Amino acid sequence: TQLEKSAMVTAICPALIETRWHSARYSPEEYAKFKAGYEKSVPLAKAAKPDDVAEVAVWLLEGAALITGETILIDGGLHLGKG
């Protein structure tokens, strides 16, 4: 059917995103320690911000006409391991 030919399924899978949702779970000191531990464990040594996820979503909507069936990880390389 036409829907089958035009349906695109792509997942955006972020790891740690710097949001209130994460920071509200900890005291400021605990969150700083948690975030620092995460950043030490990923190759790019930083947590993502909401804008990082938004940029990927906009790219998928506006310019990725031939991307489908993919899982896009926004994890600073966490899935690769630290080496």
Side-chain angles (χ1 to χ4, degrees):
T1 68
Q2 185 62 27
L3 178 59
E4 290 170 340
K5 292 178 183 175
S6 65
M8 295 176 19
V9 179
T10 299
I12 298 173
C13 297
L16 176 61
I17 306 298
E18 292 186 52
T19 64
R20 292 186 310 243
W21 186 83
H22 285 290
S23 62
R25 299 175 59 195
Y26 304 96
S27 71
E29 296 81 20
E30 291 171 325
Y31 180 69
K33 185 177 178 182
F34 169 73
K35 183 180 166 205
Y38 174 82
E39 290 178 337
K40 284 181 183 177
S41 72
V42 298
L44 293 182
K46 67 181 234 178
K49 296 186 178 343
D51 283 351
D52 297 318
V53 179
E55 287 176 11
V56 172
V58 169
W59 173 72
L60 284 169
L61 290 168
E62 292 182 350
L66 295 176
I67 305 296
T68 188
E70 294 296 329
T71 301
I72 299 176
L73 304 173
I74 303 174
D75 66 358
L78 178 67
H79 69 285
L80 299 171
K82 189 67 173 183

